[in-house]
Amino acid sequence: MDSSSSPAPPQAPARSRGASNASQRWSILRRALLARSSSRVPERTSRDQDIKDEANNISRKASRGFNLIECHSLPISELTKSLENSSNGNESDLGCQKDVCVNYKLPCGGSSLNLVYRREDSLELNDMEASNRYNIDTTGLVCCWPSEEVLAYYCINHSDMFRAKKVLELGSGYGLAGLVIAACTNADEVVISDGNPQVVGYIQKNISINAETFGETKVKSMILHWDKEHASEMLNSFDIIVASDCTFFKQFHESLARTVKSLLKHSATSHAIFLSPKRGDSLDKFLETIKENGLNFESMENYDSTVWNLHKKYVAGDDRTWPNYDKEHCYPLLVRISSFC
């Protein structure tokens, strides 16, 4: 995406940044609790606005990525015009001030995808309240995470595995990988899911915008909570399940493993593909949970030469376009999960 040519602001030492962020997060929590405990709307002060500005600064992660798929920002107004001129035009709600659009040029048949995202400074307290209400996290609203980009790129380069298959993406965020599978492979059906209703709203919007790109592939969105009972028609019905960066929160490991086991087909050719960074011991703990649930897995560090070479350059400092690159948190390992040995 386009980057600013202005110099980056000086960075505070890591410890002081962490302390500052922690205090600001407590300010967010305090505001949320006060709003819940008071029936009247408190009088706004200049300090309230300062806290809101601080909250916006720390509530979003400025995304970096491997830049594997060419993309550029697209004005929402330009997207609206193109939809008005198309036979499947669906321009409703595209002019929201919180939204931005990114155009991805896909290396498959010259096609492209337009994805609508929340702007990077627009995560709000009501988003966190929704997180508490549904026992979900808000990471799907934050950005397109690097692992999602790598998963999408991997799926493009292994498109044959999806031919005539029924595919499910778990914890999809804005749905880049699922949409790429729908656009670049001959999958029979792609279901793009997330547990956050707000996120699923964006997924459905992105499906509608790109409907003409999917050919004969059926594509739909779905609210899917890992810790709830799944509809009987979904059980053991998916040939391939994909997910990216879904193993960070350890409290969701058990329900995520059970979801994979219950929705994946009992077939030697069926498997789940997870792209996840180590993030401390979170990935290892998830793999232990996978084994405890009777599933098999293999993990790979070097699964794509392009991604691997970029990773080595970032680690060595030979490429400084990602100055805060941390292999524990940024580089996703590939995990292939199956119910067969």
Side-chain angles (χ1 to χ4, degrees):
M1 292 180 218
D2 294 336
S3 59
S4 172
S5 59
S6 59
Q11 294 289 317
R15 181 174 298 179
S16 63
R17 289 202 307 272
S20 175
N21 284 354
S23 64
Q24 291 172 24
R25 289 190 175 96
W26 277 112
S27 295
I28 293 175
L29 178 59
R30 177 179 177 276
R31 290 180 65 217
L33 293 175
L34 287 175
R36 282 170 172 260
S37 62
S38 176
S39 59
R40 65 183 181 85
V41 178
E43 182 179 349
R44 291 182 60 84
T45 67
S46 59
R47 177 56 185 156
D48 290 332
Q49 184 60 46
D50 290 342
I51 292 175
K52 182 176 180 180
D53 292 341
E54 291 168 356
N56 282 335
N57 287 337
I58 68 159
S59 296
R60 299 285 294 188
K61 173 189 176 295
S63 60
R64 296 276 183 176
F66 292 87
N67 295 321
L68 299 165
I69 304 175
E70 183 181 342
C71 64
H72 65 274
S73 299
L74 183 71
I76 289 288
S77 58
E78 184 176 332
L79 176 60
T80 303
K81 288 180 181 178
S82 67
L83 289 173
E84 287 174 345
N85 294 330
S86 81
S87 56
N88 292 328
N90 182 7
E91 67 275 9
S92 61
D93 197 32
L94 287 179
C96 177
Q97 291 183 350
K98 295 180 181 178
D99 293 347
V100 296
C101 181
V102 177
N103 175 268
Y104 291 88
K105 185 177 180 181
L106 304 180
C108 51
S111 59
S112 64
L113 290 172
N114 293 313
L115 267 68
V116 175
Y117 294 94
R118 283 275 290 272
R119 202 180 63 235
E120 288 208 354
D121 61 353
S122 61
L123 195 64
E124 298 175 345
L125 281 173
N126 63 335
D127 298 322
M128 299 180 186
E129 291 171 355
S131 173
N132 293 332
R133 187 182 315 124
Y134 298 108
N135 189 30
I136 53 177
D137 62 78
T138 59
T139 53
L141 286 172
V142 173
C143 63
C144 180
W145 296 83
S147 296
E148 175 87 354
E149 178 199 15
V150 176
L151 176 59
Y153 182 77
Y154 180 85
C155 293
I156 291 172
N157 290 333
H158 296 80
S159 59
D160 285 348
M161 78 166 68
F162 300 100
R163 187 180 302 275
K165 298 298 176 68
K166 185 175 181 180
V167 184
L168 170 67
E169 183 179 10
L170 295 173
S172 67
Y174 293 98
L176 175 61
L179 293 167
V180 162
I181 294 170
C184 292
T185 76
N186 290 312
D188 179 59
E189 181 178 356
V190 179
V191 178
I192 308 175
S193 73
D194 200 278
N196 189 326
Q198 294 171 286
V199 174
V200 174
Y202 277 92
I203 296 171
Q204 185 54 53
K205 184 183 297 186
N206 288 330
I207 291 173
S208 299
I209 291 170
N210 296 285
E212 293 183 348
T213 310
F214 305 140
E216 299 299 317
T217 300
K218 298 183 289 291
V219 188
K220 66 178 182 178
S221 62
M222 174 180 289
I223 299 174
L224 184 62
H225 295 281
W226 304 336
D227 59 351
K228 293 185 179 179
E229 186 174 347
H230 307 301
S232 58
E233 63 269 19
M234 291 181 61
L235 298 178
N236 308 123
S237 65
F238 291 96
D239 300 291
I240 299 177
I241 295 174
V242 299
S244 60
D245 215 344
C246 286
T247 64
F248 175 52
F249 295 103
K250 296 175 186 177
Q251 65 266 35
F252 298 140
H253 283 178
E254 183 65 33
S255 56
L256 177 55
R258 288 200 306 264
T259 294
V260 172
K261 185 174 183 178
S262 64
L263 300 186
L264 193 63
K265 274 185 181 178
H266 291 315
S267 165
T269 60
S270 299
H271 55 271
I273 299 170
F274 277 49
L275 269 292
S276 291
K278 288 185 176 181
R279 294 190 181 275
D281 65 349
S282 64
L283 179 58
D284 289 337
K285 292 292 186 183
F286 175 68
L287 296 180
E288 290 176 11
T289 305
I290 283 291
K291 290 177 64 176
E292 291 167 358
N293 278 269
L295 294 167
N296 302 293
F297 72 87
E298 60 173 334
S299 63
M300 289 170 274
E301 189 175 30
N302 183 358
Y303 47 84
D304 182 274
S305 59
T306 298
V307 179
W308 180 249
N309 288 334
L310 285 170
H311 163 64
K312 289 195 296 184
K313 288 180 180 179
Y314 293 138
V315 170
D318 297 334
D319 187 329
R320 299 184 180 277
T321 60
W322 197 341
N324 298 322
Y325 186 82
D326 177 350
K327 65 179 182 180
E328 290 287 315
H329 293 269
C330 299
Y331 183 74
L333 277 65
L334 185 146
V335 179
R336 189 185 302 269
I337 303 167
S338 71
S339 57
F340 281 71
C341 296

